[in-house]
């Protein structure tokens, strides 16, 4: 497949939390490589989504949203992870929400000032903008903010204008052999994906602060011809959170386990048996050693 004109390189997707970065990558790949929820700080790691074609391979880098209130070690690690992705990038997609500009968007823009890679600004969630004429002003304002190579209105969730974006990408990638095997869609393991799926369902089921204080660790996963058996620990930061995560008579945990199991079963095409335990690790999200042990590391 590779030839002298083949292109391959990295496309970093950055922006404040919750603008739709992970949704964009999932839509482009047609595959859920990164979890999505309506809550900020859902993505905590750098996750690669590899999009291989006849003539090029684009490696999208999903990043945690760059955010201000970074007062725990995990939050600082997340901001560092996002900043590091910019260093590797051949192209940067700077995502914002259409018709909305916040101080956190401005913070991200400042970080883009000194990078070498070209930047495309994406105004996402245009499906929420009515009438469409209202977009014109947003587009004009964005174009004033920096030297973007393009400013594009898109809807990652509704797959609007995404094809146009995808068609632009190879033009910014360097001539190179494919950097990853062509059958690879992500750099993350099945266990990582299982843990993330459980965390997604927990985040959807829990209110407010709790999702930020929990993480999921796969203790054991065994695959045989009958299916996959996964034992996972949900770590919370405080004893008081344990009961909330378990729910009355174990109801919340049951609901989360069921949702995660069904999704994993659908994705893996195999029966999945899931066992969830809730344990307390005091203040793990602000402890560098715990973070490393739990798989959090700025690449
Ligand atoms: P991230 O934090 O930037 O990765 O954002 P996510 O991809 O997790 O999405 C955050 C929320 O925005 C989720 O509820 C998504 O379903 C929603 N979202 C993402 N893209 C769109 C879009 O194009 N339109 C609308 N209406 N919602 C979107
Ligand atoms: Mg995300």
């Amino acid at each position: 497949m590779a030839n002298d004109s083949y292109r391959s390189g990295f496309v970093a997707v950055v922006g404040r939390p919750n603008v739709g970065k992970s949704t964009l990558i999932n839509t482009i790949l047609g595959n859920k490589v990164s979890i999505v929820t309506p809550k900020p700080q859902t993505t905590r790691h750098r996750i690669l989504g590899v999009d291989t074609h006849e003539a090029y391979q684009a490696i999208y880098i999903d990043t945690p949203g760059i955010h201000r209130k970074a007062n725990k070690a995990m939050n600082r690690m997340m901001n560092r992870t996002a900043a590091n992705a910019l260093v590797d990038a051949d192209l940067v997609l700077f995502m914002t929400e259409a018709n909305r500009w916040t101080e956190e968007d401005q913070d991200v823009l400042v970080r883009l000032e000194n990078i070498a890679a070209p930047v495309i600004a994406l105004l996402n969630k245009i499906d929420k903008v009515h009438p469409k004429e209202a977009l014109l002003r947003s587009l004009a304002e964005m174009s004033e903010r920096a030297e973007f190579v393009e400013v594009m209105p898109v809807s990652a969730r509704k797959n609007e204008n995404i094809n146009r974006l995808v068609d632009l990408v190879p033009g910014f990638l360097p001539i190179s052999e494919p950097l990853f095997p062509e059958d690879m869609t992500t750099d993350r393991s099945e266990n990582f994906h299982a843990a993330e799926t459980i965390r997604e369902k927990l985040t959807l089921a829990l209110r407010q602060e709790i999702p930020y204080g929990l993480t999921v660790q796969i203790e054991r996963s065994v695959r045989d011809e009958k299916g996959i058996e996964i034992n996972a620990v949900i770590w919370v930061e405080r004893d008081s959170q344990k009961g909330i995560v378990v729910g009355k008579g174990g109801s919340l945990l049951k609901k989360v386990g069921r949702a995660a199991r069904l999704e994993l079963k659908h994705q893996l095409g195999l029966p999945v048996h899931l066992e969830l335990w809730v344990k307390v690790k005091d203040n793990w999200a602000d402890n560098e050693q715990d973070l490393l042990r739990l798989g959090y590391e700025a690449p």
Side-chain angles (χ1 to χ4, degrees), residues 120-192:
I120 295 178
L122 298 177
L123 307 185
N124 190 31
K125 309 195 185 182
I126 56 167
D127 55 291
K128 290 207 296 194
V129 179
H130 304 288
K132 290 288 173 222
E133 289 72 45
L135 271 176
L136 293 174
R137 206 169 124 212
S138 265
L139 288 167
E141 282 171 357
M142 193 59 133
S143 307
E144 293 292 309
R145 289 193 181 106
E147 286 277 315
F148 299 115
V149 292
E150 286 275 343
V151 178
M152 294 180 70
V154 296
S155 171
R157 188 152 86 186
K158 297 278 160 80
N159 204 348
E160 285 178 45
N161 222 15
I162 302 298
N163 285 344
R164 235 194 84 212
L165 167 66
V166 168
D167 287 346
L168 285 176
V169 166
F172 294 97
L173 304 178
I175 302 280
S176 156
E177 299 268 298
L179 300 170
F180 288 92
E182 53 187 276
D183 58 354
M184 186 172 150
T185 45
T186 177
D187 62 329
R188 293 293 180 164
S189 67
E190 200 172 278
N191 275 358
F192 175 86

Side-chain angles (χ1 to χ4, degrees), residues 39-294:
K39 293 177 190 152
Q41 301 185 29
T42 297
T43 307
R44 294 178 179 169
H45 302 81
R46 184 188 88 153
I47 298 170
L48 300 185
V50 186
D51 187 29
T52 304
H53 295 264
E54 263 321 290
Y56 75 95
Q57 178 182 68
I59 303 133
Y60 292 90
I61 313 176
D62 194 10
T63 63
I66 296 173
H67 56 290
R68 277 198 169 178
K69 206 174 145 238
N71 42 15
K72 288 190 181 180
M74 181 172 70
N75 298 89
R76 291 192 291 275
M77 183 279 310
M78 284 159 67
N79 278 345
R80 236 175 14 247
T81 300
N84 286 352
L86 294 170
V87 179
D88 296 329
D90 297 295
L91 172 66
V92 173
L93 305 181
F94 169 42
M95 187 174 256
T96 63
E97 275 181 61
N99 290 4
R100 193 151 170 233
W101 181 257
T102 70
E103 290 182 334
E104 278 190 319
D105 292 310
Q106 183 65 38
D107 289 350
V108 182
L109 185 62
V110 167
R111 286 175 188 251
L112 299 180
E113 273 167 12
N114 295 315
I115 62 158
V119 180
I120 295 178
L122 298 177
L123 307 185
N124 190 31
K125 309 195 185 182
I126 56 167
D127 55 291
K128 290 207 296 194
V129 179
H130 304 288
K132 290 288 173 222
E133 289 72 45
L135 271 176
L136 293 174
R137 206 169 124 212
S138 265
L139 288 167
E141 282 171 357
M142 193 59 133
S143 307
E144 293 292 309
R145 289 193 181 106
E147 286 277 315
F148 299 115
V149 292
E150 286 275 343
V151 178
M152 294 180 70
V154 296
S155 171
R157 188 152 86 186
K158 297 278 160 80
N159 204 348
E160 285 178 45
N161 222 15
I162 302 298
N163 285 344
R164 235 194 84 212
L165 167 66
V166 168
D167 287 346
L168 285 176
V169 166
F172 294 97
L173 304 178
I175 302 280
S176 156
E177 299 268 298
L179 300 170
F180 288 92
E182 53 187 276
D183 58 354
M184 186 172 150
T185 45
T186 177
D187 62 329
R188 293 293 180 164
S189 67
E190 200 172 278
N191 275 358
F192 175 86
H193 184 70
E196 288 285 271
T197 302
I198 296 164
R199 195 164 58 79
E200 180 187 81
K201 303 312 173 201
L202 280 164
T203 303
L204 291 171
L206 289 162
R207 280 163 199 245
Q208 290 149 14
E209 290 303 308
I210 311 273
Y212 309 121
L214 58 81
T215 190
V216 178
Q217 187 179 33
I218 306 296
E219 290 231 300
R220 180 174 155 273
S221 89
V222 187
R223 189 194 256 259
D224 63 21
E225 63 283 356
K226 290 202 297 280
I228 305 184
E229 216 182 293
I230 301 172
N231 297 0
V233 176
I234 299 161
W235 291 104
V236 295
E237 285 180 307
R238 285 188 296 280
D239 220 23
S240 60
Q241 296 172 334
K242 201 172 155 177
I244 302 172
V245 172
V246 172
K248 242 197 198 118
S251 57
L252 194 130
L253 209 53
K254 233 177 257 163
K255 181 175 130 189
V256 163
R258 185 183 140 80
R261 179 172 59 75
L262 288 176
E263 184 165 315
L264 289 169
K265 175 179 169 222
H266 174 75
Q267 288 168 344
L268 301 169
L270 279 171
V272 173
H273 181 80
L274 205 53
E275 249 196 63
L276 302 177
W277 300 92
V278 185
K279 293 188 189 174
V280 184
K281 208 189 266 288
D282 277 324
N283 220 9
W284 65 267
D286 201 22
N287 180 314
E288 305 272 353
Q289 294 304 319
D290 284 340
L291 285 171
L292 283 175
R293 264 194 292 272
L294 293 167

Side-chain angles (χ1 to χ4, degrees), residues 18 20-23 34-36 42-43 62-65:
N18 225 28
K21 299 177 293 299
S22 300
T23 305
S34 198
I35 60 169
V36 168
T42 297
T43 307
D62 194 10
T63 63

Side-chain angles (χ1 to χ4, degrees), residues 12-38:
V13 184
V14 297
R16 71 170 159 81
N18 225 28
V19 291
K21 299 177 293 299
S22 300
T23 305
L24 174 75
I25 291 179
N26 292 342
T27 298
I28 291 175
L29 294 181
N31 214 324
K32 188 162 167 186
V33 298
S34 198
I35 60 169
V36 168
T37 82

